[in-house]
């Protein structure tokens, strides 16, 4: 038995280790695939520059290590612009990148001489502009596009009417055409789309807002009153515009016999009736128009016939018990009126307390059973 358990544990451990190795291999493959991704030239250059700036931040508080730091600062110059710091930056360059990491390393080797030139002589210039735009010519300035870095429509202050993006902006690709934001259209995104209306306009700005959900096609203002046509599920009112159609009032009823209808804006939903109902007008056993088989109508509510019969029998038994107590009291103590009166009062008090607790427990099901004297007795 011990041998079998040992073998089983060994097999389990082998399976777990094997599964863990598979997950590790899969994760490694995913990382390698991400590292091998080829990015567009401008994006690749930007990734390299961002990595370089990140390493500059990391080494910002560094200094010469070992020996007399003050002497080294005096002889070798400031650490902030030293070759030592540049080497420390280049050692970690591209290390925190996942997507396009291999390309980043290759590009770093390719542009090493330009980075050295910038580091020692041109740190006053922006590195991205110096390297990606001016030197490698893989990017364009902001809001410029194409091989010749032409300005985007509306440059400099109103590119694409501030309601869209210039295709190829910042790169040496793209055609410079405007790609409009949702709700805008036109060559320069200077007008509202079909299902939007002009809610504000001045010389500097156009604001387009969506039409009401009841509108089919264009609209002239906010709300259902601005609709030109109504969507299905709505009807046109001359004063209030598109109003919702209450499908639940339509004849015949759109739902099945054992379902009830709930109206929504422009539509409706069919929900299942309570199990006590064969047909209903809403949720719950008190909304039945006809009780299901095995249920009976009692106090405007469909209740389980077996449960209702059981409760009736319990009530009859309880009242018969009370009557028996009263009769027994009268028979046993008929010769002693005083004692019979005390017993009678006690029985009456018991009946009153029992009925009170029974009534309370029916109204409040959270009442603790230990206090339900009547129910305890009747059970």
């Amino acid at each position: 038995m011990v041998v079998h358990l040992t073998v089983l544990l060994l097999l389990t451990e082998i399976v777990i280790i094997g599964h863990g190795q598979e997950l590790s291999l899969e994760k490694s493959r995913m990382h390698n695939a991400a590292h091998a991704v080829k990015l567009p030239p401008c994006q690749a250059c930007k990734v390299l520059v961002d990595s370089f700036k990140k390493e500059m931040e990391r080494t910002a508080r560094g200094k010469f290590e070992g020996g007399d730091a003050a002497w080294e600062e005096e002889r070798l110059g400031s650490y902030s612009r030293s070759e030592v710091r540049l080497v420390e930056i280049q050692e970690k360059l591209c290390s925190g990148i996942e997507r396009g990491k291999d390309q980043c390393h290759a590009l770093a080797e390719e542009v090493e001489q330009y980075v050295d030139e910038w580091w020692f002589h041109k740190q006053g210039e922006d590195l991205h502009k110096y390297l990606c735009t001016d030197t490698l010519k893989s990017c364009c300035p902001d809001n410029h596009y194409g091989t010749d870095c032409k300005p985007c429509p509306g440059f400099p202050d109103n590119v694409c009417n501030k309601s869209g993006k210039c295709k190829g902006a910042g790169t040496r690709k793209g055609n410079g055409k405007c790609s409009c934001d949702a709700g805008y259209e036109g060559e320069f995104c200077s007008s509202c789309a079909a299902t939007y209306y002009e809610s504000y306009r001045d010389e500097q700005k156009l604001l387009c807002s969506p039409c009401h959900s009841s509108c089919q096609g264009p609209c002239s203002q906010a709300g259902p009153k601005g609709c030109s046509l109504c969507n299905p599920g709505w009807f046109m009112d001359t004063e209030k515009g598109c109003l919702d159609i209450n499908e639940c009032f339509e004849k015949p009823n759109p739902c099945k016999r054992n379902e009830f209808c709930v109206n929504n804006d422009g539509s409706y939903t069919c929900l299942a009736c309570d199990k006590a109902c064969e047909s209903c007008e809403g949720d719950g056993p008190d909304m039945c128009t006809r009780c299901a088989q095995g249920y009976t109508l009692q106090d405007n509510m469909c209740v389980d016939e077996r449960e209702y019969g059981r409760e009736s029998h319990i009530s009859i038994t309880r009242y018969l018990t009370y009557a028996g107590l009263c009769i027994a009291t009268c028979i046993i103590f008929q010769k002693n009126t005083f004692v019979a009166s005390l017993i009678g009062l006690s029985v009456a008090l018991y009946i009153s307390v029992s009925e009170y607790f029974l009534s309370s427990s029916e109204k409040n099901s959270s009442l603790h059973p230990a206090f339900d004297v009547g129910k305890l007795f009747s059970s």
Side-chain angles (χ1 to χ4, degrees), residues 5-6 10 95 109 146 148 159 163 165 177 200 213 244 250 306 330 342 344 347 365 373:
L5 287 173
T6 304
L10 286 172
S95 60
E109 293 181 6
D148 299 326
V159 173
S163 302
K165 296 177 178 61
K177 291 185 178 180
Y200 178 82
S213 58
D244 174 52
E250 291 184 343
R306 291 173 298 177
C330 294
L342 289 177
V347 170
S365 59
V373 180

Side-chain angles (χ1 to χ4, degrees), residues 91-317:
E91 285 177 350
K92 297 287 186 179
L93 204 57
C94 306
S95 60
I97 295 170
E98 280 293 318
R99 195 165 179 269
K101 185 173 186 177
D102 296 343
Q103 186 180 13
C104 181
H105 281 299
L107 184 59
E109 293 181 6
E110 181 184 334
V111 301
E112 185 175 354
Q113 60 176 325
Y114 303 123
V115 173
D116 289 349
E117 174 69 17
W118 177 84
W119 181 261
F120 293 113
H121 304 292
K122 299 186 177 182
Q123 281 200 42
E125 296 184 32
D126 178 71
L127 179 57
H128 180 271
K129 179 180 182 300
Y130 166 78
L131 184 63
C132 303
T133 302
D134 298 339
T135 305
L136 298 181
K137 299 188 184 301
S138 57
C139 298
C140 285
D142 288 344
N143 292 321
H144 289 72
Y145 71 95
T147 54
D148 299 326
C149 289
K150 296 178 181 179
C152 291
F155 179 84
D157 299 324
N158 197 32
V159 173
C160 295
N161 202 43
K162 297 179 182 178
S163 302
K165 296 177 178 61
C166 173
K167 292 182 179 180
T171 74
R172 297 276 172 164
K173 296 184 177 181
N175 55 16
K177 291 185 178 180
C178 292
S179 176
C180 300
D181 297 336
Y184 299 85
E185 63 182 12
E187 184 179 357
F188 303 110
C189 307
S190 55
S191 58
C192 295
T195 56
Y196 288 75
Y197 68 96
E198 190 176 294
S199 55
Y200 178 82
R201 180 191 284 271
D202 60 21
E203 294 180 357
Q204 301 293 328
K205 187 176 182 179
L206 167 67
L207 181 61
C208 297
S209 300
C211 296
H212 191 266
S213 58
S214 62
C215 298
Q216 185 179 53
C219 63
S220 58
Q221 63 184 50
K225 196 172 182 179
C227 303
S228 299
L229 295 173
C230 299
N231 273 320
W234 305 79
F235 70 95
M236 179 61 74
D237 181 85
T238 54
E239 294 183 0
K240 299 180 179 180
C242 293
L243 298 180
D244 174 52
I245 297 173
N246 192 336
E247 292 86 354
C248 298
F249 288 162
E250 291 184 343
K251 298 294 182 181
N253 193 305
C255 298
K256 298 177 183 177
R257 188 174 63 174
N258 60 340
E259 295 177 338
F260 65 94
C261 181
V262 177
N263 187 54
N264 304 322
D265 284 345
S267 184
Y268 66 94
T269 303
C270 292
L271 301 177
C273 295
D274 189 89
K275 64 179 182 178
C277 307
E278 183 176 321
S279 58
C280 65
E281 295 178 342
D283 191 24
D286 58 331
M287 297 297 290
C288 303
T289 55
R290 186 173 180 180
C291 296
Q293 186 175 1
Y295 291 83
T296 185
L297 187 64
Q298 185 67 27
D299 296 330
N300 295 321
M301 181 181 296
C302 291
V303 297
D304 191 300
E305 290 180 344
R306 291 173 298 177
E307 185 67 24
Y308 177 70
R310 179 176 176 276
E311 290 180 358
S312 298
H313 290 139
I314 290 173
S315 298
I316 293 171
T317 303

Side-chain angles (χ1 to χ4, degrees), residues 51-62 79 85-93 95:
S51 179
F52 193 95
K53 289 180 177 179
K54 183 178 179 181
E55 292 306 314
M56 286 185 67
E57 291 177 4
R58 181 183 63 84
T59 59
R61 296 186 179 182
Y79 169 82
R85 185 186 179 196
L86 176 60
V87 171
E88 289 181 5
I89 291 173
Q90 290 175 329
E91 285 177 350
K92 297 287 186 179
L93 204 57
S95 60

